[in-house]
């Protein structure tokens, strides 16, 4: 018996769902320009979507900002009741949509970092990360962020228990080098790992907290040939916005 081909996703439906999820995770509300930039929705289409969702009560407008409306109460659980992966997924999608670079949310698994949620870039030259992928803490920007968040006693145990492989000529493996990286992350609030885990790839990450408790790191992986100063600034700003939205 012949089977019909899979039905392609409806673009307008995906846009609507992405928009709602993006607004829901931004507790402080977002303006139309932020939504358009993060999700890559043309302004003409976005205006129609926002008006329709506000008319239905799914969104409300306060000044220039859009917030979740009462119509969503019957559709969603409170954010704190959602699994962490569900809470961060819209923010990871937004990072990928805004930058068109591979974005992930990473969590600690022992002395490794695991990709809990990931969205791959659409560009031909990209770094792909599969959900569930694990790498040693010391070589990834997200792993360094996790190391910086560890209590001193646990960090000392990490250095005592691990032997840290050099994956490239740029991998920093010594306790002294990693301690210097941790001090820099603590001061700057973010980490940049330049070709430490994979030749040609630059990782950038920021810590993520929920109600003050560290839960993981938002990260973006970019081919080094594209990682110029202007893009570095954009990545920093996008990552910090994602972390602020989750907090």
């Amino acid at each position: 018996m012949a089977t019909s081909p899979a039905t392609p996703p409806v673009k307008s439906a995906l846009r609507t769902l992405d928009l709602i999820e993006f607004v829901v995770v931004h507790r402080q509300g977002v303006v139309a320009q932020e939504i358009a930039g993060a999700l890559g929705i043309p302004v003409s289409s976005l205006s129609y979507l926002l008006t329709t969702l506000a008319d239905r009560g799914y969104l409300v407008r306060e000044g220039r900002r859009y917030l979740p409306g009462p119509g969503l109460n019957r559709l969603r659980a409170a954010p704190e009741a959602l699994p962490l992966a569900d809470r961060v997924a819209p923010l990871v999608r937004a990072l990928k949509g805004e930058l068109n670079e591979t974005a992930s949310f990473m969590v600690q698994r022992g002395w490794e970092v695991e990709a809990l949620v990931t969205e791959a870039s659409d560009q031909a030259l990209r770094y792909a990360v599969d959900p569930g992928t694990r790498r040693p803490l010391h070589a990834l920007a997200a792993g360094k962020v996790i190391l910086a968040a560890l209590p001193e006693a646990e960090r000392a145990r990490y250095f005592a228990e691990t032997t840290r492989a050099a994956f490239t000529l740029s991998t920093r493996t010594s306790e002294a080098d990693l301690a210097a990286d941790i001090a820099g992350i603590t001061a700057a609030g973010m980490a940049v790992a330049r070709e430490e885990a994979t030749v040609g790839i630059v990782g950038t990450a920021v810590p993520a907290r929920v109600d003050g408790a560290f839960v993981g790191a938002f990260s973006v992986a970019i081919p080094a040939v594209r990682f110029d100063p202007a893009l570095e600034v954009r990545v920093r700003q996008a990552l910090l916005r994602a972390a602020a939205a989750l907090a």
Side-chain angles (χ1 to χ4, degrees), residues 91-106 113 115 117-123 125-129 139-143 145 190-198 200-207 216-224 226-228 231-243:
L91 297 169
V92 173
R93 282 196 296 271
L95 281 170
K96 180 264 179 181
E98 179 176 354
L99 301 168
N100 198 14
E101 302 290 355
T102 298
S104 305
F105 187 86
M106 304 283 196
V113 60
V117 177
T118 184
E119 291 282 339
S121 167
D122 296 327
Q123 303 194 60
L125 181 60
R126 64 188 177 191
Y127 181 70
V129 182
L140 272 68
V145 165
M190 68 179 304
V192 180
R194 300 177 186 271
E195 302 187 69
E196 292 194 45
T198 303
I201 299 298
V202 179
T204 308
V206 300
F218 287 102
S219 69
V220 176
I222 301 174
R226 286 203 296 270
F227 196 74
D228 58 21
L231 182 55
E232 183 172 2
V233 170
R234 288 181 57 215
V235 169
R236 170 191 286 267
Q237 293 172 342
L239 285 168
L240 291 175
R241 283 196 298 271

Side-chain angles (χ1 to χ4, degrees), residues 15 17 40 55-56 75 78 81 93 140 201 215 236:
R15 280 180 173 170
L17 292 171
D55 287 345
R56 295 291 185 93
L75 301 178
R93 282 196 296 271
L140 272 68
I201 299 298
V215 293
R236 170 191 286 267

Side-chain angles (χ1 to χ4, degrees), residues 123-144:
Q123 303 194 60
L125 181 60
R126 64 188 177 191
Y127 181 70
V129 182
D130 294 326
T133 298
R134 294 188 182 188
R135 299 293 299 274
L137 290 174
H138 70 281
L140 272 68
K144 291 175 187 283

